[in-house]
Amino acid sequence: MTDIKQQELDFVNIGHPDGLNGLQRRLVHQLVRNEFPSYRTFARGGGEFMQVEKLDPEREAMVS
């Protein structure tokens, strides 16, 4: 079994036990967009948390 500390993850989740409100989601999105332009945010779990992922240019080209 692989230890989670040794495993490299492609994302990080940002959340709160009570969920994130609209302002908090917007602030996370703006912060990531401005300070980490090679990353992208997604609301997940019905707004309970945000997921931050590194951009994959190949995948983005396929979606566009």
Side-chain angles (χ1 to χ4, degrees), residues 40-52:
R40 190 167 174 179
T41 59
F42 301 94
R44 300 284 194 222
E48 288 183 21
F49 65 96
M50 304 255 334
Q51 193 168 70
V52 181

Side-chain angles (χ1 to χ4, degrees), residues 11-61:
F11 63 89
V12 65
N13 292 332
I14 300 172
H16 187 273
D18 295 330
L20 298 173
N21 64 36
L23 176 61
Q24 291 167 325
R25 288 191 304 271
R26 181 178 174 145
L27 291 173
V28 169
H29 175 73
Q30 287 178 343
L31 177 75
V32 170
R33 185 183 62 210
N34 292 333
E35 299 295 324
F36 305 96
S38 62
Y39 289 81
R40 190 167 174 179
T41 59
F42 301 94
R44 300 284 194 222
E48 288 183 21
F49 65 96
M50 304 255 334
Q51 193 168 70
V52 181
E53 295 181 353
K54 187 165 180 119
L55 285 174
D56 181 354
E58 293 176 11
R59 186 173 63 182
E60 294 294 319

